[in-house]
Amino acid sequence: MVTALSPLQYQKQLRLQEARRLILGQAIDAATAGHHVGYDSPSQFSREYARLFGAPPLRDIARLRAAPSYLLET
């Protein structure tokens, strides 16, 4: 697969997607999920998460949980 991302950007995106999965699937808080995927700073994690998903973790997860399940299927 070819992406327009640098290897570092790709790795960051994977880490943030994994954190999102953890928050949704295991109901852990954002700081713990961020730490689990390698972020030492909760504020850095939150900034990068919001940059990728368009909202900070709490708001994004609330939006996902409120969405009809058919919108979440890919």
Side-chain angles (χ1 to χ4, degrees):
M1 173 201 258
V2 176
T3 70
L5 302 173
S6 72
L8 185 59
Q9 289 170 321
Y10 181 72
Q11 180 186 36
K12 185 186 300 186
Q13 188 175 61
L14 288 178
R15 290 166 57 195
L16 291 166
Q17 288 171 348
E18 174 64 6
R20 188 186 212 191
R21 187 190 68 76
L22 289 171
I23 296 167
L24 267 173
Q26 297 184 13
I28 62 175
D29 65 273
T32 302
H35 184 72
H36 184 76
V37 299
Y39 284 87
D40 291 329
S41 166
S43 61
Q44 180 70 23
F45 169 72
S46 185
R47 268 193 310 277
E48 292 185 6
Y49 186 103
R51 194 173 300 131
L52 180 61
F53 297 116
L58 287 177
R59 201 167 358 141
D60 178 55
I61 296 304
R63 179 184 56 84
L64 290 173
R65 288 188 175 139
S69 62
Y70 67 86
L71 292 176
L72 301 177
E73 295 174 4
T74 54

